[in-house]
């Protein structure tokens, strides 16, 4: 996640760059962040360094303390809680979080780490209580607690400033609340019933407010609720009014309450982050006008676009930037050798364009050696000219202010995107040809309507070719200063790549208005932020040679993830699940599917089961079924995702598989003990079986605990390494 998300945040936002000649800077450039750390062989556990995604989420906690606006692909609650924990523990938000391996030195970071560790530690009692409620078996609950206590992966995730322990806390809290209110089904509308039902809704809001993965636990609670209501609907002893009360209670507690709390987190988020920051460039111009320190904040500009105005045009797809040109030409072999047109994320004089009528002093005879008879263009803001507003459907020209060349397209292929047309700057002193003509359209508006700055979403359709101006988002080579490609696409489907808005607007002949009146409302801001987050998540794609993992890797513990250190001089922490725990969980899922299928078929066929076996079967099918559903919902959707994936995405599903393991093995041992005639022998075997599982997981933790607490010395590939004998799979690179 660090590499992909920080690529979006750091490489395509308005971060500090060396001074560049007008528009010739690197623009939106993608750079891979290597997880490299300086050697610190003398480190102990009290000499902490930043690790892995701490540079990401710790920095966001600092942004909250400093009230600086930023963008992330996840909802804000988790980062907000991290920032609050840091603030309450005395952290002042001044640590830079520049790269993994930086020393915290005098900065008080322990409050943020301690907060995440505290929530991570609560996963164990939550799992214990869930299994105890589902199975009514103390040994099953103890085994589940042991599996999570002795898992090196959960321990590693919980000791850093990350969203994962916060997310897992809310998921498990929602699951516990759900099984608790299910247990109060015989006392509906009692105080405990209302308490657990309401707490379920609160935890659902928390899970979704940390990551969109929280949607999976919402689906599970939703399925449980629908099943519960269906059962109540079929109970003829209940009146329709009573069933209606049950339905209303669940709508209020599981829909209205979570949505209200989820929306409230965004209200706090936008209220706290009121200063301009590195997230501005991902949002619309109207959104940016809300932020103190942004050049649009408290600005006054003309409201409606008029001919002769000097403007900047911004693409609405996140991290694309402004329509831009400069004096450099496309190189030989790249379409026509005319002036480059790109998009550039930063403010620059080369982003300025003059909007003109298509037939105003636009000579159509510009050829080598040909002098056009038309007079030179008058100064575009000549006070003697009447004001004429630009309207939806008008045919216009855009003249680049710095070079006096027109925005132009033709049938030459674009530099990088096949089947798209090249966009160039063409002409002399605003005089070009008919390929400079564009029809301006306001999305979802009628002909004749004026065009508002900031708010109107416009498309520019090339009159000759019929293509639509857009930006592919692809980074041009060095000849294009690594700015982003602008193309004219013949595919007319509306996408954010081809939708623009007017941001800066200079026209002294028009009265100015305060941009405060154009600022979006809270519902509009909420909707825009979600659209940006969704696009950001979809944009997290793996790059060449980038370290990622696949969903099938996760249950088998195929490959871990380096949290710190890459060589024998580094203090190394490696995210890997306790292999005994994880492989036992994987075996348990297979055994559960087999045994559960046999029992379900037997029950369906009317087989007579002894009372003891029937009771255990109900626990296995109902309690275990809930946990299997949780595992499926938190695992299999990742196979459908096109975004980049990492090993830590599996851990919510791992919690459910561990709880299923506790119930399954307790049930198997009880069935084994029941099958024996001797009660004393049965009791002894049951105790020995449970102790064996507990001691086995504890001993495996003893072997693998350096993965979580830190390793020094040779890597495991070296026979001299103390971890050499524990490298059970070649894919483990600790």
């Amino acid at each position: 996640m660090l590499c992909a998300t920080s690529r979006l945040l750091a490489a395509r936002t308005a971060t500090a760059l060396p001074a560049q000649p007008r528009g010739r800077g690197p623009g939106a450039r993608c750079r891979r962040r290597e997880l490299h750390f300086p050697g610190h062989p003398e480190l102990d556990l009290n000499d902490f360094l930043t690790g892995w995604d701490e540079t990401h989420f710790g920095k966001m906690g600092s942004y909250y303390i400093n009230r600086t606006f930023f963008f992330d692909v996840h909802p804000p609650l988790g980062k907000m809680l991290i920032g609050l924990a840091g603030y309450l523990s005395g952290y002042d938000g001044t640590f830079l979080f520049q790269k993994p391996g930086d020393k915290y030195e005098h900065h008080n970071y322990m409050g943020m780490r301690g907060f995440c560790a505290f929530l991570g530690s609560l996963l164990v009692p939550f799992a214990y209580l869930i299994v105890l409620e589902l199975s009514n078996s103390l040994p099953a609950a103890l085994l589940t607690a042991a599996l999570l206590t002795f898992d090196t992966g959960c321990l590693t995730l919980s000791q850093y400033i990350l969203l994962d322990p916060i997310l897992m806390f809310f998921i498990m809290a929602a699951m516990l609340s759900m099984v608790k209110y299910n247990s109060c089904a015989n006392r509906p509308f009692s105080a405990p019933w209302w308490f657990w039902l309401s707490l379920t809704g609160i935890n659902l809001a928390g899970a979704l407010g940390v990551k969109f993965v929280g949607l999976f636990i919402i689906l599970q609670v939703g399925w449980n609720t629908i099943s519960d209501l269906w059962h109540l609907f079929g109970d003829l002893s209940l009146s329709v009014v009573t069933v209606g009360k049950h339905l209303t209670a669940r709508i209020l507690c599981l829909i209205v309450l979570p949505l209200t709390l989820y929306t409230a987190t965004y209200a706090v988020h936008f209220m706290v982050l009121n200063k301009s920051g590195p997230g501005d460039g991902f949002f619309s111009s109207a959104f940016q006008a809300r932020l103190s320190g942004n050049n649009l904040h408290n600005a006054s500009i003309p409201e409606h676009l008029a001919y002769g105005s000097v403007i900047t045009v911004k693409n609405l797809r996140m991290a694309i930037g402004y329509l831009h040109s400069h004096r450099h030409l496309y190189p030989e072999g790249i379409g026509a050798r005319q002036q480059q047109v790109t998009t550039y994320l930063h403010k620059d004089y080369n982003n300025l364009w003059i909007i003109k009528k298509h037939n105003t002093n636009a000579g159509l005879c510009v050829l080598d050696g040909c002098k056009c008879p038309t007079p030179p263009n008058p100064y575009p803001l000549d006070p003697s000219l009447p004001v004429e507003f630009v309207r939806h459907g008008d045919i216009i020209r855009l003249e680049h202010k710095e070079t006096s060349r027109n925005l132009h397209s033709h049938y030459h292929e674009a530099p990088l995107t096949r089947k798209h047309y090249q966009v160039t700057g063409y002409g002399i002193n605003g005089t070009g040809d008919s390929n400079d003509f564009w029809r301006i359209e306001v999305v979802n508006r009628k002909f004749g309507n004026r065009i508002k700055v900031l708010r109107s979403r416009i498309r520019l359709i090339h009159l000759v070719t019929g293509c639509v101006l857009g930006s592919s988002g692809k980074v041009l080579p060095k000849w294009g200063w690594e700015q982003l490609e602008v193309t004219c696409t013949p595919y007319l489907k509306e996408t954010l790549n081809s939708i623009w808005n007017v941001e800066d607007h200079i026209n002294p002949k028009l009265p100015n208005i305060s941009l405060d009146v154009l600022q979006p409302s809270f519902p509009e801001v909420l909707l825009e932020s979600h659209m940006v987050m969704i696009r950001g998540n979809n944009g997290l794609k793996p790059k060449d040679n980038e370290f990622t993992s696949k969903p099938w890797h996760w249950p088998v513990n195929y490959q871990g993830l380096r949290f710190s250190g890459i060589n024998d001089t580094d203090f190394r922490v490696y995210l890997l699940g306790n292999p005994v725990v994880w492989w036992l969980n994987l075996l348990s899922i297979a055994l559960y599917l087999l045994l559960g299928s046999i029992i379900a078929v037997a029950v369906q066929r009317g087989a007579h089961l002894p009372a003891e076996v029937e009771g255990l079967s109900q626990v296995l099918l109902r309690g275990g079924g809930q946990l299997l559903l949780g595992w499926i919902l938190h695992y299999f959707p990742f196979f459908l995702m096109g975004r980049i994936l990492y090993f830590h995405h599996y851990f919510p599903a791992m919690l459910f598989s561990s709880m299923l393991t506790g119930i399954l093995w307790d049930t198997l041992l009880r069935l084994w003990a029941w099958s024996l005639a001797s009660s004393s022998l049965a009791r002894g075997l049951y105790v020995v079986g449970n102790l064996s599982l507990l001691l086995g997981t504890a001993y495996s933790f003893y072997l693998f605990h350096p993965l979580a607490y830190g390793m020094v010395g040779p890597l495991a590939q070296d026979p001299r390494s103390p971890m050499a004998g524990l490298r059970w799979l070649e894919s483990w690179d600790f």
Side-chain angles (χ1 to χ4, degrees):
M1 179 189 298
L2 168 66
C3 185
T5 310
S6 61
R7 178 183 300 107
L8 277 169
L9 293 171
R12 293 188 176 181
T13 52
T15 49
L17 292 170
Q20 300 285 348
R22 297 180 177 178
R24 300 181 192 176
R29 183 176 184 179
C30 293
R31 295 186 182 92
R32 175 173 169 77
R33 289 191 179 185
E34 299 294 340
L35 298 179
H36 179 70
F37 301 80
H40 293 281
E42 75 285 358
L43 291 179
D44 59 32
L45 292 180
N46 296 316
D47 193 8
F48 282 114
L49 307 172
T50 54
W52 197 50
D53 260 6
E54 279 195 321
T55 55
H56 194 54
F57 299 116
K59 181 182 293 184
M60 292 177 182
S62 298
Y63 285 142
Y64 277 107
I65 294 173
N66 298 319
R67 307 195 69 175
T68 302
F69 187 77
F70 67 94
F71 164 70
D72 186 43
V73 296
H74 305 301
L77 180 60
K79 285 94 64 177
M80 215 184 306
L81 292 174
I82 289 172
L84 179 62
Y87 176 77
L88 294 177
S89 61
Y91 171 60
D92 59 5
T94 58
F95 186 66
L96 297 179
F97 287 99
Q98 288 183 321
K99 63 182 185 300
D102 287 346
K103 280 192 175 184
Y104 281 108
E105 297 177 340
H106 64 279
H107 294 278
N108 190 356
Y109 64 95
M110 288 302 293
M112 293 183 287
R113 276 196 177 175
F115 171 71
C116 294
F118 172 70
L119 295 188
S121 67
L122 290 178
L123 300 178
V124 175
F126 282 177
Y128 171 89
L129 293 172
I130 291 169
V131 171
L132 186 63
E133 195 67 49
L134 291 176
S135 67
N136 201 28
S137 170
L138 182 62
L142 287 173
L143 176 58
T144 299
L147 293 174
L148 296 183
T149 300
F150 297 129
D151 179 55
T152 52
C154 287
L155 175 61
T156 303
L157 282 179
S158 297
Q159 64 187 8
Y160 287 95
I161 305 170
L162 302 173
L163 295 185
D164 300 272
I166 307 174
L167 171 68
M168 291 190 289
F169 166 82
F170 281 114
I171 288 174
M172 293 294 281
M175 186 68 185
L176 175 61
S177 302
M178 186 189 77
V179 299
K180 282 290 187 181
Y181 94 71
N182 283 343
S183 68
C184 298
N186 58 343
R187 294 173 293 156
F189 308 112
S190 63
W193 186 87
W194 278 111
F195 172 78
W196 289 114
L197 186 63
S198 300
L199 193 59
T200 302
I202 293 171
N203 288 317
L204 291 180
L208 188 61
V210 175
K211 282 188 176 183
F212 288 128
V213 172
L215 179 63
F216 301 149
I217 189 64
I218 291 176
L219 292 176
Q220 178 154 16
V221 172
W223 175 259
N224 176 82
T225 303
I226 292 171
S227 176
D228 188 27
L229 289 172
W230 184 250
H231 173 74
L232 292 171
F233 184 71
D235 187 349
L236 298 182
S237 65
L238 299 177
S239 67
V240 175
V241 174
T242 302
V243 174
K245 289 180 179 179
H246 277 279
L247 177 62
T248 303
R250 284 158 176 80
I251 290 174
L252 290 174
C253 294
L254 300 181
I255 298 178
V256 176
L257 178 61
L259 284 178
T260 302
L261 294 175
Y262 179 75
T263 304
T265 62
Y266 280 91
V268 175
H269 171 74
F270 295 129
M271 180 178 65
V272 173
L273 303 182
N274 61 357
K275 297 180 181 178
S276 179
D280 294 23
F282 291 89
F283 289 81
S284 68
S285 306
F287 184 99
Q288 294 179 40
R290 304 171 55 257
L291 302 173
S292 173
N294 189 283
N295 68 306
L296 297 174
H297 184 67
N298 289 333
S300 295
I301 62 175
E303 180 179 10
H304 294 103
L305 190 60
Y307 288 105
S309 296
V310 178
I311 63 174
T312 60
V313 185
K314 188 173 187 290
N315 193 277
L316 291 194
R317 182 181 166 189
M318 75 170 197
I320 292 294
Y322 301 92
L323 186 65
H324 175 97
S325 188
H326 40 238
R327 296 186 184 277
H328 296 275
L329 306 181
Y330 288 101
E332 290 285 353
I334 305 295
R337 199 162 194 274
Q338 298 172 5
Q339 186 168 293
Q340 296 176 15
V341 174
T342 64
T343 54
Y344 186 55
L345 193 63
H346 310 289
K347 296 287 187 179
D348 191 276
Y349 285 112
N350 279 328
N351 299 341
L352 297 176
W353 300 82
I354 304 169
I355 186 164
K356 295 185 174 182
K357 280 191 167 185
H358 73 286
N359 57 357
T360 301
N361 300 317
L364 303 180
C365 62
V366 174
L367 297 170
D368 291 340
C370 173
K371 294 184 179 179
C372 295
T374 52
N377 292 333
Y379 182 65
L381 300 180
D382 188 337
S384 64
L385 297 176
V387 173
E388 187 173 353
F389 291 105
V390 182
R391 299 178 183 274
H392 172 68
D394 282 2
I395 309 300
I396 66 167
R397 284 186 298 124
L398 283 177
E399 180 184 318
H400 190 240
K401 187 174 185 298
E402 292 295 298
T403 62
S404 297
R405 298 186 187 273
N406 296 324
L407 185 70
H408 177 99
S409 187
H410 42 222
Y411 287 106
H412 291 277
E413 191 170 69
L416 303 179
T417 307
R418 297 183 60 190
K419 298 184 179 179
H420 285 208
Y421 300 139
Q422 183 188 32
V423 177
T424 68
Y426 179 74
I428 299 174
N429 293 325
T431 301
D433 63 20
S434 59
N435 279 324
D436 304 338
F437 299 163
W438 301 83
R439 184 171 68 254
I440 186 168
E441 293 185 353
V442 182
V443 177
N444 298 326
R445 297 294 292 273
K446 297 179 180 179
F447 280 85
N449 286 344
R450 294 179 183 180
I451 295 173
K452 281 189 176 183
V453 298
L454 301 189
R455 301 308 300 272
S456 292
R457 297 154 55 95
I458 61 175
R459 299 205 307 164
L460 293 170
I461 300 177
H462 192 243
L463 209 61
V464 173
T465 64
C467 59
V468 181
L469 183 73
S471 177
S472 66
K474 296 178 181 177
V475 181
L476 293 169
K478 290 184 178 180
W479 56 256
W481 301 99
E482 295 177 318
Q483 296 171 11
L484 302 186
E485 179 191 41
V486 169
T487 71
C488 198
T489 171
Y491 308 107
L492 302 183
K493 181 180 178 182
E494 261 183 31
T495 66
L496 288 173
N497 298 59
S498 60
I499 299 178
W500 310 76
N501 70 273
V502 176
E503 182 170 294
D504 298 290
H505 184 207
I506 304 168
N507 193 325
K509 295 191 292 183
L510 294 174
N512 290 341
I513 65 164
S514 172
L515 291 184
D516 289 342
V517 303
L518 298 179
Q519 287 184 16
S521 63
F522 175 71
E524 290 175 312
V525 169
L526 185 65
L527 177 62
E528 180 178 351
S529 64
H530 279 79
M531 296 303 296
V532 171
M533 283 189 292
I534 291 169
R535 294 198 300 269
N537 265 300
N538 293 336
L540 296 177
K541 304 293 184 183
K543 304 298 180 182
D544 293 339
N545 301 318
E546 183 167 353
F547 177 81
T548 60
S549 65
K550 295 179 173 58
W552 71 264
H553 290 170
W554 304 340
V556 297
N557 217 22
Y558 177 77
Q559 194 171 39
L561 186 63
R562 292 194 190 105
F563 264 52
S564 65
I566 60 172
N567 56 50
D568 57 0
T569 62
D570 291 343
F571 184 76
R572 304 189 305 277
V573 174
Y574 188 76
L575 177 65
L576 187 74
N578 182 332
V580 171
V581 172
W582 284 54
W583 293 343
L584 180 64
N585 288 346
L586 188 61
L587 174 63
S588 299
I589 291 171
L591 286 176
Y592 178 84
L593 292 174
L594 176 62
L595 184 60
S597 299
I598 292 173
I599 293 175
V601 170
V603 171
Q604 188 67 17
R605 293 294 297 172
H608 177 71
L609 300 176
E612 180 76 13
V613 176
E614 185 175 0
L616 292 174
S617 300
Q618 291 300 317
V619 168
L620 194 65
L621 292 178
R622 292 181 181 176
Q626 282 273 20
L627 299 174
L628 180 66
L629 176 63
W631 177 77
I632 290 172
L633 288 174
H634 286 83
Y635 176 47
F636 281 98
F638 287 102
F639 284 94
L640 306 177
M641 295 183 186
R643 57 154 290 172
I644 191 170
L645 297 173
Y646 295 99
F647 178 47
H648 70 94
H649 289 135
Y650 181 69
F651 276 81
M654 180 267 177
L655 299 176
F656 286 92
S657 65
S658 297
M659 291 187 286
L660 180 61
T661 298
I663 287 182
L664 175 73
W665 285 96
D666 179 72
T667 302
L668 288 176
L669 290 171
R670 287 180 183 274
L671 288 173
W672 185 28
W674 171 81
S675 66
L676 298 174
S678 171
S679 60
S680 59
L681 177 62
R683 188 178 303 108
L685 289 175
Y686 178 71
V687 171
V688 169
N690 277 297
L691 285 176
S692 299
L693 290 170
L694 291 171
L695 293 175
T697 55
Y699 181 67
S700 64
F701 175 77
Y702 166 75
L703 293 177
F704 286 95
H705 77 273
L707 297 176
Y709 289 123
M711 302 167 283
V712 292
L715 301 177
Q717 294 91 328
D718 191 328
R720 298 171 298 167
S721 170
M723 303 295 291
L726 297 174
R727 191 165 178 256
W728 296 350
L729 294 180
E730 289 294 322
S731 53
W732 295 351
D733 53 350
F734 52 75

